[in-house]
């Protein structure tokens, strides 16, 4: 009887996880407009798709990209190339990238239900990745930003202590996929200390150490080229002011132009107060929470701070000097992928904090509900992003297929170059003429 009940429970849990994955994938897909769905974006086309269609997965899976490994984008590019023709390649890339986000949501729910107090919090956690207000601009449906969504999952995987060797192996596989896709995952190593005396945690730790070593070796052997988009240095003060005025309000809105207008009218102090309230809530969550909360809240808050800092300091730009003209820099902040992962971490931290506050006493429960609602409402209200999205300017890949085929037939060359978003050099995608002409000879591999 006990075995039957256990089997039924597992079936129910798997069914719920699949439902969460499907719902999250669907939400992510419908937050992207049709033009963006059919367009290859930035590194997706120029690097991942081009290299996959020309070289194949065997030659690209562990190929250095910008000084580090990008495992998941390589896998998604390979799957897309395998199942789609050129006319549907961009939509397939978008759909599979959304499916990865859906998988992250399902895993957040699964780990959340074992680590958190309430039954509601894991579902709210699962809603975060596809519904981050700024996500549709550059992140959702793109391969080159999958590392951001995977990173949101990592603290929960590392804090969790597997209950069986099967779950230990599963968590180890998840760790491999995350760390081989994002070198900043190395910074979360302290979270492995939770339950490290349990032998089933050792497999997860081993996977983390080995993959972290692979990322570090790649960085040493193929260092990231120094990139600077301005002559004015970005300081720690710029990072702090930018954090308070960009990712913190972006938890609730995608309209940075409106935030910049508010800064121009009333200054930064309302946002400083907002950040202080969030920080005070996080401290309360650490004090009142369980062991998992005491690791997850600092891990996600510090994760947001570290990812934001690295984003601004590694590739400094004039627009990151927030101490000089903060209102204009906020309103015109363009690399929204930086905002997506940072505000995503802050959203996750608020959900975990709300769960930590839930307990005995009316005041604690009211505070927990208020915090949970403060997270849930903007996720729903901000489903349709009304701001400008460069991806929506196209051009779409399907609209160029006929012309590309004609070019292949006219020139007889092995490859053809097509346009992508953003629509200016050096953002161009290279496709094999064999694939376009359906000859069964998909270019050199």
């Amino acid at each position: 009887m006990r075995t039957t009940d256990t089997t039924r429970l597992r079936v129910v849990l798997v069914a719920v996880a699949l439902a969460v994955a499907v719902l999250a994938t669907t939400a992510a897909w419908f937050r992207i407009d049709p033009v963006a769905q059919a367009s290859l974006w930035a590194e997706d086309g120029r690097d991942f798709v081009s290299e996959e269609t020309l070289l194949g997965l065997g030659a690209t899976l562990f190929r250095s990209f910008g000084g580090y490994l990008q495992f998941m984008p390589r896998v998604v590019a390979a799957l897309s190339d395998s199942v789609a023709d050129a006319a549907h390649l961009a939509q397939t890339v978008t759909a599979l990238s959304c499916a990865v986000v859906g998988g992250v949501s399902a895993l957040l729910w699964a780990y959340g239900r074992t680590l958190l107090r309430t039954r509601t919090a894991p579902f709210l956690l699962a809603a975060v990745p596809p519904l981050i207000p700024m996500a549709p601009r550059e992140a959702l449906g793109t391969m080159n930003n999958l590392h951001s969504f995977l990173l949101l999952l990592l603290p929960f995987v590392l804090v969790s202590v597997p209950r069986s060797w099967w779950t230990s192996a599963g968590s180890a596989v998840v760790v491999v996929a995350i760390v081989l896709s994002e070198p900043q995952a190395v910074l979360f190593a302290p979270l492995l200390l939770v339950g490290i005396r349990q032998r089933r945690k050792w497999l997860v730790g081993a996977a983390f150490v080995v993959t972290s070593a692979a990322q570090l070796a790649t960085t040493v052997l193929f260092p990231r080229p120094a990139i600077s988009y301005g002559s004015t240095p970005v300081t720690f003060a710029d990072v702090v002011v930018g954090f308070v005025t960009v990712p913190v309000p972006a938890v609730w809105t995608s309209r940075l132009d409106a935030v910049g207008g508010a800064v121009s009218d009333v200054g930064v102090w309302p946002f400083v107060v907002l950040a202080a309230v969030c920080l005070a809530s996080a401290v309360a969550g650490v004090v009142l929470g369980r062991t998992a909360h005491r690791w997850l809240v600092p891990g996600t808050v510090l994760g947001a701070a570290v990812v934001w800092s690295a984003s601004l300091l590694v590739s400094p730009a004039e627009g990151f000097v927030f101490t000089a003209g903060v209102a204009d820099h906020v309103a015109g902040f363009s690399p929204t992928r930086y905002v997506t992962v940072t505000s995503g971490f802050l959203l996750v931290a608020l959900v975990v904090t709300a769960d930590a506050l839930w307990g005995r006493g009316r005041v604690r429960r009211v505070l927990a509900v208020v915090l949970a609602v403060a997270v849930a409402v903007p996720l729903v209200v901000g489903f349709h992003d009304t701001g400008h999205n460069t991806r929506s300017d196209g051009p779409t890949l399907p609209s160029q297929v006929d012309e590309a085929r004609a070019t292949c037939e006219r020139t007889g060359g092995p490859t053809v170059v097509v346009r992508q978003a953003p629509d200016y050099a050096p953002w161009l995608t290279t496709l094999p003429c064999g694939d376009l002409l359906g000859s069964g000879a998909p270019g050199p591999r």
Side-chain angles (χ1 to χ4, degrees):
M1 186 67 176
R2 182 175 298 176
T3 302
T4 302
D5 291 342
T6 301
T7 302
R8 288 177 179 174
L9 177 60
R10 288 175 179 171
V11 170
V12 170
L13 293 178
V14 170
V16 173
L18 289 174
V20 169
V22 170
L23 288 172
T25 300
T26 303
W29 172 264
F30 282 107
R31 292 193 73 198
I32 307 167
D33 68 76
V35 173
Q37 290 171 356
S39 302
L40 291 172
W41 171 252
E43 290 89 348
D44 282 11
R46 187 193 66 182
D47 298 285
F48 298 129
V49 166
S50 296
E51 292 178 3
E52 166 58 32
T53 56
L54 296 176
L55 303 174
L57 183 62
T60 61
L61 184 58
F62 296 107
R63 183 186 180 97
S64 173
F65 174 79
Y68 48 88
L69 299 174
Q70 276 277 27
F71 176 83
M72 190 57 69
R74 301 292 191 186
V75 172
V76 172
L79 288 174
S80 301
D81 184 40
S82 298
V83 303
D85 58 16
H88 301 92
L89 182 59
Q91 291 99 324
T92 304
V93 165
T94 303
L96 290 179
S97 297
C98 288
V100 173
V101 175
V104 169
S105 289
L107 289 171
L108 276 172
W109 172 82
Y111 283 103
R113 64 172 296 274
T114 65
L115 293 171
L116 303 182
R117 281 174 170 161
T118 64
R119 294 182 179 181
T120 304
F123 287 102
L124 190 52
L125 271 181
V128 169
L131 298 180
I132 297 169
M134 196 70 77
R137 305 275 182 96
E138 291 185 355
L140 278 181
T142 66
M143 296 182 292
N144 63 86
N145 287 294
L146 289 178
H147 62 91
S148 296
F149 296 101
L150 293 170
L151 204 57
L152 297 178
L153 175 61
L154 185 61
F156 294 86
V157 182
L158 297 184
V159 169
S160 177
V161 179
R163 297 180 180 181
S164 70
W165 284 108
W166 284 108
T167 54
S168 177
S171 292
V173 170
V174 173
V175 164
V176 169
I178 296 174
V179 181
L180 287 183
S181 302
E182 175 51 76
Q184 291 183 95
V186 176
L187 301 174
F188 291 83
L191 300 181
L192 278 171
L193 295 175
V194 181
I196 195 61
R197 294 182 180 181
Q198 300 291 328
R199 288 187 297 173
R200 288 188 295 272
K201 187 71 177 281
W202 296 353
L203 184 58
V204 179
F208 185 88
V209 170
V210 172
T211 50
S212 296
Q215 282 285 16
L216 293 173
T218 302
T219 300
V220 171
L221 296 174
F222 307 95
R224 177 184 174 89
I227 301 175
S228 179
Y229 298 99
S231 57
T232 305
V234 178
T235 66
F236 180 73
D238 295 316
V239 172
V240 174
V241 174
F243 185 86
V244 170
T245 54
V246 178
V248 170
V251 167
W252 290 277
T253 180
S254 63
R255 297 302 303 271
L256 291 181
D257 54 343
V259 176
V263 171
S264 178
D265 292 338
V266 300
V268 301
W269 293 110
F271 301 102
V272 172
V273 172
L274 178 62
V277 171
C278 293
L279 182 60
S281 301
V283 171
V286 172
V287 173
L288 300 174
R290 298 173 178 173
T291 299
H293 299 102
R294 293 169 184 169
W295 286 89
L296 286 173
V297 172
T300 49
V301 171
L302 292 176
V306 169
V307 169
W308 174 257
S309 301
S311 298
L312 269 60
L313 296 175
V314 171
S315 302
E318 296 289 349
F320 301 164
V321 187
F322 288 96
T323 53
V326 58
D328 291 336
H329 289 327
V330 171
F333 192 81
S334 59
T336 56
R337 59 192 178 278
Y338 299 165
V339 187
T340 296
V341 62
T342 309
S343 59
F345 264 124
L346 293 177
L347 280 162
V348 168
L350 290 173
V351 174
V352 176
T353 299
D355 184 82
L357 292 176
W358 185 265
R360 294 181 179 178
R362 181 176 299 177
V363 173
R364 284 182 58 175
R365 295 199 171 199
V366 168
L367 290 176
V369 170
V370 169
L371 198 55
V373 170
V375 173
V377 169
L379 293 182
V380 176
V381 173
F383 185 89
H384 293 291
D385 178 21
T386 57
H388 177 260
N389 185 350
T390 304
R391 291 168 67 191
S392 300
D393 296 335
T396 66
L397 182 56
S399 66
Q400 304 177 73
V401 169
D402 289 342
E403 182 181 351
R405 284 174 180 155
T407 301
C408 287
E409 292 174 344
R410 184 179 68 254
T411 63
T415 63
V416 64
V417 174
V418 297
R419 294 155 58 210
Q420 61 166 77
D423 191 14
Y424 54 83
W427 303 111
L428 296 167
T429 302
T430 303
L431 298 176
C433 283
D435 286 356
L436 286 163
L437 298 176
S439 65
R445 292 243 175 186

